[in-house]
Amino acid sequence: MGNSKFHQKYLIFLIFLLLQICSVFVQSKQSNHSSTLSNTVMFALKAQQIPPGSIRRPASKLPFHHNVSLTVSLLVGTPPQPVTMVLDTGSELCWLHCKKNPGLNSLFDPVHSTSYSRIPCSSPTCRARTRDFTIPASCDPIKLCHVLVSYADFSSMEGTLAMDNFKMGESSMPGVFFGCMDQGFSSSSETDSRTTGLLGMNRGSLSFVTQMNYPKFSYCISGQDASGVLLFGEANFAWLKPRSYTPMVKVTSPLPYFDRVAYSVQFEGIKVGGKLLTLPKSILQPDHTGAGQTMVDSGTQFTFLLGPVYTALKNEFLAQTRTTLKELGDPNYVFQGAMDLCYRVPLTQKGYPVLPTVTLMFQGAEMSVSAERLLYRVPGEVRGPDGVHCFTFGNSDLLGVEAYIIGHHHQQNMWMEFDLVQSRVGLAEVRCDLASQRLGLGL
């Protein structure tokens, strides 16, 4: 979730808590997939400016790119149709924009796929109680499973729960559940809003990684050329540094504000330029309602912190940069509704002065954010001879979000490993552009 699911990525994390009957059904499907994904699968990841609204198994790899949203290219249907999907560790349900009207330049046309099937509303998958749907899935007039999902920016979309064949590289995956969405999109461009889909990658029963029965996946996002790699399976490479692991936080009982299928870790503190902020431990831990969890989310661009922690970080960063950066001086300007610390940087200036490193501390691991990852040039915003550059941390309270969200901008040049078997997240600093080259993706 986030203002990629707040503004840029109009998608917020979609949460599924399925009934046991659905889990058994999905697991039986997964066993049929095991023989199809026996080879390493790697994808090139890309990053695209997406308009708003709009097991131990051998590894698999894909290239990707990043900027506002991390995207990966797949093939869906028979014959295969190319699709571009946002890689989202904060969501569960995969979905595609589906063609509804003849002539509309939409992404996926189920009519032209002989392997496409729609899920009836009598299916256990449709009847399952899930938090992913704002209202429970229901029957449409022709007895198909009708689903509706809503996001933090108050947009929503709806369509039919469906199943079709997905293909990644040389690996084929028959019968993947996804949402075939065909109405309710919000975008300034009718066509642009239908140029992508979402690849749900959290720990829920219907996520892509769960349906494919992968116990582990990794990605690495370059900070230089908007590219990277997504890898399914083991990542045992001589050039890759040992990972530091932080355990996932487990909550067994349902809590209203805790996402139990997110990649939730324990936040332990923040250092600015080596100075540890004075923060009460209680504010960094989920409370009795589940509010205050910390989620690692590839679907959010920036990082968002609860109000008191954000304010402490903002004040310390201001204090340490008072002589090197010029504040914007406009108290009414708030980037993406949650980022109110912005600066004026001359358009002719190349790079930034030396900035204090911000280190996010987790149980057993740290993530350091430095240099250009600390500030973001706001496209199109100019004040005289200066561009507007905003601090890449925001205030969750301003968004009405009761959580800490670690976005993908701060995961650049980090090997991010999600181990579902041992319930942990691994981090290792690495040049992700070089990692992509070493893996032969030729980005």
Side-chain angles (χ1 to χ4, degrees):
M1 74 198 213
N3 238 10
S4 314
K5 285 168 234 160
F6 293 132
H7 273 291
Q8 296 158 309
K9 177 187 174 277
Y10 42 91
L11 313 164
I12 196 173
F13 69 87
L14 314 172
I15 311 165
F16 274 64
L17 298 176
L18 298 177
L19 294 176
Q20 186 175 11
I21 185 171
C22 182
S23 298
V24 171
F25 180 62
V26 171
Q27 288 167 10
S28 67
K29 270 177 40 61
Q30 290 167 347
S31 64
N32 294 328
H33 290 311
S34 60
S35 63
T36 67
L37 297 175
S38 59
N39 297 320
T40 296
V41 183
M42 273 189 282
F43 289 77
L45 283 170
K46 306 181 200 182
Q48 292 185 199
Q49 179 85 27
I50 305 290
S54 32
I55 86 204
R56 203 78 54 192
R57 244 200 193 131
S60 311
K61 62 181 179 180
L62 286 171
F64 78 80
H65 295 276
H66 79 90
N67 182 13
V68 174
S69 293
L70 302 172
T71 61
V72 62
S73 296
L74 304 175
L75 296 172
V76 178
T78 307
Q81 301 177 38
V83 301
T84 300
M85 305 182 78
V86 172
L87 175 70
D88 188 3
T89 60
S91 297
E92 180 167 353
L93 181 67
C94 300
W95 59 258
L96 292 171
H97 291 294
C98 282
K99 191 167 187 174
K100 183 178 181 181
N101 301 316
L104 182 63
N105 183 25
S106 53
L107 180 64
F108 177 70
D109 189 350
V111 172
H112 290 141
S113 173
T114 59
S115 52
Y116 175 83
S117 63
R118 299 177 293 183
I119 305 303
C121 57
S122 58
S123 165
T125 308
C126 185
R127 296 200 307 267
R129 297 171 58 192
T130 78
R131 289 178 59 185
D132 213 51
F133 307 138
T134 306
I135 57 175
S138 59
C139 279
D140 69 9
I142 56 175
K143 304 298 183 182
L144 296 177
C145 185
H146 179 264
V147 295
L148 182 147
V149 292
S150 298
Y151 303 113
D153 61 359
F154 304 107
S155 66
S156 63
M157 61 176 62
E158 51 189 307
T160 302
L161 192 63
M163 183 185 295
D164 208 336
N165 299 339
F166 278 51
K167 186 175 183 180
M168 306 180 346
E170 297 303 316
S171 298
S172 297
M173 296 144 286
V176 176
F177 287 114
F178 69 101
C180 195
M181 305 304 202
D182 59 13
Q183 55 184 304
F185 307 118
S186 169
S187 174
S188 59
S189 168
E190 184 77 4
T191 298
D192 286 345
S193 70
R194 288 161 167 75
T195 56
T196 191
L198 182 141
L199 195 68
M201 293 285 286
N202 71 12
R203 296 186 293 161
S205 297
L206 282 185
S207 78
F208 185 79
V209 69
T210 302
Q211 289 196 63
M212 295 305 100
N213 201 25
Y214 279 117
K216 183 182 294 187
F217 68 94
S218 307
Y219 57 76
C220 195
I221 309 164
S222 170
Q224 299 297 321
D225 57 3
S227 63
V229 61
L230 166 65
L231 182 146
F232 290 94
E234 296 291 340
N236 297 322
F237 308 113
W239 47 263
L240 184 59
K241 296 179 182 178
R243 270 77 84 198
S244 296
Y245 289 98
T246 182
M248 294 183 202
V249 175
K250 293 183 179 180
V251 173
T252 55
S253 58
L255 297 175
Y257 295 109
F258 193 92
D259 179 2
R260 290 191 292 168
V261 293
Y263 297 105
S264 183
V265 298
Q266 182 55 59
F267 200 6
E268 294 200 332
I270 301 178
K271 290 184 289 189
V272 182
K275 179 180 178 180
L276 181 64
L277 299 184
T278 302
L279 300 168
K281 285 188 176 294
S282 60
I283 203 170
L284 299 174
Q285 300 174 348
D287 64 17
H288 66 284
T289 69
Q293 78 179 112
T294 300
M295 296 178 284
V296 182
D297 185 4
S298 68
T300 299
Q301 185 176 9
F302 300 114
T303 292
F304 298 88
L305 309 172
L306 293 184
V309 175
Y310 170 74
T311 299
L313 171 59
K314 171 186 172 181
N315 290 341
E316 185 59 35
F317 190 81
L318 270 170
Q320 294 192 28
T321 59
R322 207 169 296 279
T323 60
T324 56
L325 291 175
K326 181 181 179 181
E327 288 185 64
L328 180 61
D330 181 356
N332 296 318
Y333 184 80
V334 182
F335 180 48
Q336 293 192 1
M339 303 161 76
D340 60 1
L341 176 55
C342 298
Y343 297 93
R344 296 176 61 142
V345 177
L347 296 170
T348 57
Q349 179 175 311
K350 295 182 179 180
Y352 298 120
V354 176
L355 301 174
T357 297
V358 175
T359 302
L360 304 177
M361 304 164 63
F362 309 107
Q363 183 180 346
E366 294 185 348
M367 178 183 291
S368 293
V369 182
S370 60
E372 67 277 358
R373 288 187 294 159
L374 288 165
L375 296 177
Y376 178 78
R377 167 75 190 279
V378 181
E381 287 289 341
V382 177
R383 300 291 190 275
D386 303 322
V388 176
H389 297 240
C390 293
F391 192 42
T392 52
F393 292 84
N395 188 341
S396 293
D397 292 3
L398 294 179
L399 297 169
V401 177
E402 296 288 335
Y404 299 96
I405 305 159
I406 312 300
H408 69 71
H409 184 78
H410 293 157
Q411 300 172 39
Q412 292 176 21
N413 287 322
M414 298 286 295
W415 189 272
M416 302 294 301
E417 180 179 283
F418 298 81
D419 186 339
L420 284 73
V421 172
Q422 298 193 52
S423 192
R424 60 185 186 173
V425 176
L427 298 83
E429 292 187 4
V430 66
R431 279 276 303 276
C432 292
D433 56 339
L434 297 180
S436 297
Q437 294 175 21
R438 287 174 174 138
L439 292 170
L441 294 173
L443 298 174

